[in-house]
C-alpha cells in the first residue's frame, strides 16, 4: 500500500526469556509465549514485518536463537474488526465508471476503518455508494483501496471497483510511476523557505524510535528503512528579506516514492515542516510569533497539516487512456495561503 498515511499498530508486550528458552528458535519460543492468541506462522509474519524488537531494534529472522535473560518486545495485532458497513457519507466524485472511482477527499476523513475509527470512514462511504461492485483484493477493511492519504490531508484519490483494476492500479503505485504513467503532485504550506527554487530530498524512512505511529529519516542500513524520494519546487515565498529569512513558503511536492508521512517527514528533515503539522512541526510553532497578530492567530488555530493532494494522473486499467484529475485547494487552506500572500 502506498501514499502518505499513518496506521497505528496494536498493543506492545514485553517478554523475557527464562532458562528453559535457551537455544530455542525465536518464532517457536514467541508462539509458545503468546499461545493461543498467535500461531507460529503468525509470529513468523510479525517478525519479518519488524514487529519484534530486541534492544529497541527490529529482529527479522525467525530462526534466530534465544538466550536466557533476553528481553523482547512484540507488537500484538489488533483484534479482527467487524466487516465495515455502508454509511451515507457524502462523496465529492471527480470521475466514475465501472472500473474505478476518483474522489476529492476532504480533510478529516479517515480512509479505512482502524482503531478508534471503525465507522465514518471513506470505505464506509464507498460501500454505501458502490454496493457490491467494490474490489475485494484489499480485504474487508480496505475494499478497493490502492493508496491512501492521511486523515487530515485533502485531495485526489482513486479507488478500484474491480479486481482487475485493483491489480493494475496497485502495481502502478507499487512501481511509483517508473513507467511515467503515474503522476502525483501536492501543495504544502511550510515554515521558512528553501534557498534553492527546487530540489530533491532523497532520505530513507523508517518507524520513529520515539513513537512507532510516526516516521523518521533513518539510516539505509536499518532493516525497516525504505527508500523515499521527494521532488519539490518553491511556488511562493512569504515575508521580507533573503530566502532564508522568509517566514513561510508554498511548495509543490512530487513523489517518486509513496511512503507513510513522506512529504511531512522530508520537509521537516530539511528544516521546513508543514504549517499546522501536530507531529512533525511542533517545534516551529513559535514561527507564528513573527506574523501580524491576525495571521498569527489564524496560523496557530489551523487544525491540521497544510497539505493537499492537488493532482493525480494514471493510466486507466481497462482502456489504457491517461486520466488526469486536479482538485482545487480547499477553502480553509486557501484562506490561510491568502493570509500569507498579504505579507
Amino acid at each position: 500500500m502506498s501514499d502518505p498515511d499513518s496506521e497505528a499498530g496494536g498493543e506492545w508486550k514485553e517478554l523475557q526469556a527464562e532458562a528453559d528458552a535457551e537455544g530455542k528458535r525465536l518464532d517457536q519460543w514467541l508462539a509458545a509465549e503468546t499461545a493461543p492468541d498467535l500461531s507460529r506462522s503468525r509470529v513468523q509474519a510479525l517478525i519479518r514485518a519488524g514487529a519484534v524488537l530486541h534492544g529497541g531494534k527490529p529482529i527479522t529472522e525467525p530462526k534466530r536463537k534465544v538466550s536466557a535473560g533476553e528481553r523482547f518486545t512484540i507488537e500484538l495485532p489488533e483484534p479482527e474488526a467487524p466487516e465495515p458497513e455502508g454509511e451515507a457519507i457524502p462523496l465529492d466524485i471527480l470521475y466514475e465508471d465501472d472500473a474505478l472511482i476518483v474522489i476529492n477527499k476532504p480533510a478529516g476523513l479517515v480512509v479505512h476503518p482502524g482503531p478508534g475509527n471503525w465507522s465514518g470512514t471513506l470505505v464506509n462511504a464507498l460501500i454505501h455508494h458502490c454496493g457490491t461492485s467494490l474490489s475485494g483484493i484489499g480485504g474487508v477493511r480496505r475494499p478497493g483501496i490502492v493508496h491512501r492519504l492521511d486523515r487530515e490531508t485533502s485531495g485526489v484519490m482513486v479507488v478500484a471497483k474491480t479486481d482487475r483494476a485493483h491489480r493494475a492500479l496497485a502495481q502502478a503505485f507499487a512501481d511509483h510511476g517508473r513507467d511515467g504513467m503515474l503522476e502525483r503532485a501536492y501543495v504544502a504550506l511550510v515554515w521558512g523557505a528553501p534557498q534553492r527554487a527546487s530540489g530533491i530530498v532523497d532520505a530513507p524512512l523508517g518507524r520513529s524510535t520515539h513513537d512507532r505511529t510516526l516516521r523518521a529519516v533513518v539510516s539505509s542500513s536499518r532493516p525497516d528503512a525504505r527508500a523515499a524520494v521527494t521532488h519539490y519546487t518553491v511556488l511562493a515565498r512569504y515575508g521580507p528579506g533573503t530566502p532564508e529569512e522568509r517566514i513561510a513558503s508554498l511548495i509543490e511536492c512530487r513523489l517518486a516514492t509513496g511512503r507513510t508521512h513522506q512529504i511531512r517527514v522530508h520537509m521537516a528533515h530539511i528544516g521546513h515542516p508543514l504549517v499546522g503539522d501536530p507531529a512533525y512541526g511542533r517545534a516551529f510553532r513559535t514561527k507564528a510569533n513573527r506574523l501580524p497578530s491576525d495571521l498569527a492567530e489564524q496560523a496557530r488555530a489551523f487544525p491540521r497539516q497544510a497539505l493537499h493532494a492537488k493532482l493525480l494522473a494514471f493510466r486507466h486499467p481497462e482502456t489504457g487512456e491517461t486520466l488526469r484529475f486536479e482538485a482545487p485547494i480547499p477553502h480553509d487552506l486557501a484562506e490561510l495561503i491568502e493570509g500569507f500572500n498579504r505579507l
Side-chain angles (χ1 to χ4, degrees):
M1 214 56 76
S2 57
D3 253 46
D5 189 11
S6 66
E7 187 175 356
E11 173 191 358
W12 286 90
K13 182 176 183 179
E14 187 173 283
L15 299 168
Q16 180 170 339
E18 304 297 338
D20 61 354
E22 183 72 37
K24 289 184 178 179
R25 283 175 48 135
L26 179 60
D27 58 351
Q28 177 189 14
W29 175 71
L30 282 176
E33 291 294 310
T34 57
D37 297 326
L38 299 178
S39 65
R40 187 165 173 178
S41 62
R42 187 72 176 104
V43 167
Q44 289 173 345
L46 290 171
I47 292 172
R48 293 190 180 100
V52 176
L53 308 181
H54 178 258
K57 297 181 179 179
I59 296 175
T60 56
E61 179 48 65
K63 295 180 181 179
R64 180 194 184 278
K65 300 298 183 182
V66 176
S67 297
E70 286 188 308
R71 289 181 176 272
F72 298 88
T73 306
I74 181 170
E75 183 179 16
L76 301 176
E78 291 287 342
E80 285 297 319
E83 185 172 341
E85 297 180 353
E87 297 178 44
I89 299 168
L91 291 173
D92 182 359
I93 299 172
L94 303 179
Y95 174 86
E96 183 176 12
D97 61 22
D98 291 340
L100 55 86
I101 181 171
V102 180
I103 62 116
N104 178 18
K105 187 188 87 67
L109 182 63
V110 177
V111 171
H112 54 71
N117 296 288
W118 295 118
S119 63
T121 71
L122 175 60
V123 163
N124 298 108
L126 289 167
I127 291 172
H128 180 269
H129 177 78
C130 301
T132 58
S133 66
L134 280 184
S135 163
I137 288 180
V140 295
R141 283 175 52 194
R142 306 182 188 185
I145 302 300
V146 295
H147 71 123
R148 301 181 305 229
L149 295 177
D150 289 348
R151 175 179 189 157
E152 299 300 345
T153 298
S154 55
V156 190
M157 280 188 65
V158 59
V159 177
K161 293 172 65 176
T162 68
D163 289 349
R164 179 178 175 181
H166 197 133
R167 282 190 291 268
L169 289 169
Q171 185 61 51
F173 280 93
D175 289 344
H176 308 305
R178 293 187 183 94
D179 63 358
M181 298 309 298
L182 178 68
E183 184 182 1
R184 288 172 290 176
Y186 297 71
V187 288
L189 183 65
V190 305
W191 291 116
Q195 286 187 318
R196 296 171 56 192
S198 63
I200 301 174
V201 184
D202 185 350
L205 301 182
R207 285 190 183 271
S208 167
T209 56
H210 304 294
D211 184 340
R212 287 183 60 82
T213 66
L214 302 180
R215 297 300 188 269
V217 170
V218 301
S219 167
S220 59
S221 62
R222 251 180 54 169
D224 67 330
R226 298 292 182 269
V229 179
T230 302
H231 299 257
Y232 70 84
T233 302
V234 179
L235 302 177
R237 294 185 174 95
Y238 305 119
T242 61
E244 59 268 25
E245 295 173 333
R246 301 296 180 93
I247 297 175
S249 54
L250 189 66
I251 306 288
E252 178 184 273
C253 294
R254 290 180 177 258
L255 299 180
T257 57
R259 307 301 180 194
T260 299
H261 296 180
Q262 179 174 317
I263 292 173
R264 298 166 63 188
V265 178
H266 271 176
M267 295 314 297
H269 177 64
I270 64 172
H272 303 291
L274 274 61
V275 172
D277 195 325
Y280 305 104
R282 214 172 302 163
F284 284 72
R285 291 180 68 103
T286 55
K287 289 273 189 181
N289 296 338
R290 296 177 55 197
L291 299 172
S293 58
D294 57 340
L295 181 57
E297 184 177 345
Q298 186 182 6
R300 292 192 190 102
F302 198 71
R304 63 185 183 92
Q305 65 268 6
L307 182 64
H308 174 67
K310 73 168 186 177
L311 169 68
L312 177 63
F314 57 90
R315 177 183 290 160
H316 193 288
E318 301 282 352
T319 67
E321 177 189 2
T322 298
L323 301 180
R324 186 181 182 90
F325 302 97
E326 294 194 44
I329 294 174
H331 181 70
D332 64 338
L333 180 54
E335 276 197 336
L336 184 62
I337 292 171
E338 181 55 34
F340 280 92
N341 271 325
R342 291 194 291 268
L343 288 177

